[in-house]
Amino acid sequence: MFLAMLQMIPGIGNARLRRLVSYFGNGETIWKSSVQDVWQSKCLDRGSYENFCEFKKNPIDIDLLAEKWRKKKIKLCTYLDAEYPELLKNIFNPPSVLFYRGILSGEKQRVAIVGSRKTSAYGKAAAENLAGDLAETGIEIISGAARGIDTAAHIGALKKGRTIAVLGCGVDVAYPIENKHLLEEIVESGLVVSEYPPGTTPNAKFFPARNRIISGLSRGVIVVEAAIKSGSLITAEMALSEGRDVFAVPGSIYSEQSKGCHKLIQQGAKLVSCAKDVLEEYSWNESKCNIDKNVINLSKEEKVVYENLSYDQPLSIDEIILKSRSDASNITCILLQMELRGLVVEHAPHCYVRAVKEGVL
């Protein structure tokens, strides 16, 4: 709590906080030291020191703040604690304090899946199914809870395992607002984490910093749909700078949203088409991965409908009826059955695409 309080002072970031801890020993000693002692330590510049002095004049009641966070089930972990993730500790400028809700598990096999906020049906399905297949083998899926690919990755992982959401705001703030229920689901079985204190609202400058935590927690980063100028490519660059692996899912050569992925592949990122491509890279356990094991057989009528659908170009029911040369009631029934089996997805009202599935015959 003392370290968290100190980091809430403007100007005292991770580096300065570490210097203070190195000099004084711990957060409580720093907080209880005189302003003269803190200045003589030479750990702070003039601006951050003045902010420290101002903060000391009007201190926050640490017990009341701790109780407030406890009621919200918010926990803390510092870089001095044994449970602090080892992979994250080894990056440049690791967060000194992590605020989290949920379960902070020990070191596990972790992979990040990131991508565009503006995603196609193909990208959404690819992220969701890839996350689900990897989570099924026990791998924790990390993403940033943003719209688009991030959301699809969390949803896919939740169906079969654990996922971690790294936020660019406080862990008690739902952003985007439509993901409030999703974040609550993640808390139940996984982890929602941030370096920003509870109550911190989203800010554009926080997200690049958030991305270093996403890559820092992961053995590798998988990019699914990213334009040439994309935050996901920043995450990939951060991953490379920290010695992490970068994977990319290919898309259509005509898609602007896939040009970033294709650029990564040209630069040496491993092409990923299924979960096994990732598992093989690390020699992780493939025995739990059910890809290709369960062949889904389609009836003659279902096959006609399925073959007329694509992964990235939604077709309306009228277009499907026309292409399949069947009546409306029959097509509606077939689509409903295939949707329940996870073979097709209603991408927009009354418009369908294939769900990315292996073993469809």
Side-chain angles (χ1 to χ4, degrees), residues 68-77 97-104 145 164-175 179-180 182-187 190-202 206 210 213:
K68 180 181 177 181
W69 289 351
R70 272 195 292 271
K71 286 181 179 178
K72 292 184 176 183
K73 297 182 179 179
I74 296 170
K75 302 171 188 174
L76 283 78
C77 176
V97 181
L98 291 174
F99 302 90
Y100 67 95
R101 297 171 64 216
I103 305 162
L104 182 63
I164 298 173
V166 184
L167 306 186
C169 56
V171 293
D172 56 341
V173 177
Y175 181 80
N179 277 357
K180 183 176 182 179
L182 174 63
L183 289 169
E184 292 303 322
E185 276 193 79
I186 293 172
V187 167
L191 180 70
V192 174
V193 63
S194 175
E195 67 178 319
Y196 301 107
T200 303
T201 55
F206 294 159
R210 180 275 310 265
I213 300 177

Side-chain angles (χ1 to χ4, degrees), residues 14-24 42-44:
N14 293 310
R16 289 189 177 120
L17 188 60
R18 281 187 173 79
R19 285 201 294 268
L20 285 166
V21 171
S22 179
Y23 186 90
F24 288 98
K42 298 181 180 179
C43 295
L44 302 180

Side-chain angles (χ1 to χ4, degrees), residues 64 94 170 206 255:
L64 284 177
F206 294 159
S255 170

Side-chain angles (χ1 to χ4, degrees), residues 90 154 186 219 312:
N90 293 325
H154 289 307
I186 293 172
R219 285 287 302 276
D312 56 353

Side-chain angles (χ1 to χ4, degrees), residues 249-262:
V249 175
S252 167
I253 61 172
Y254 303 109
S255 170
E256 290 294 324
Q257 293 303 102
S258 289
K259 286 187 176 180
C261 292
H262 296 161

Side-chain angles (χ1 to χ4, degrees), residues 280-332:
E280 288 171 353
E281 186 71 15
Y282 299 114
S283 300
W284 285 345
N285 186 8
E286 296 177 40
S287 63
K288 295 179 182 178
C289 190
N290 292 321
I291 301 171
D292 297 330
K293 292 183 180 179
N294 299 320
V295 175
I296 302 170
N297 291 303
L298 302 179
S299 67
K300 185 177 179 180
E301 289 181 318
E302 288 174 336
K303 194 170 184 180
V304 170
V305 172
Y306 192 79
E307 288 177 347
N308 280 308
L309 294 172
S310 71
Y311 295 113
D312 56 353
Q313 295 296 325
L315 287 184
S316 68
I317 290 181
D318 289 340
E319 289 172 312
I320 298 170
I321 291 169
L322 185 64
K323 287 177 176 287
S324 303
R325 297 180 181 180
S326 185
D327 60 83
S329 60
N330 191 38
I331 291 297
T332 302

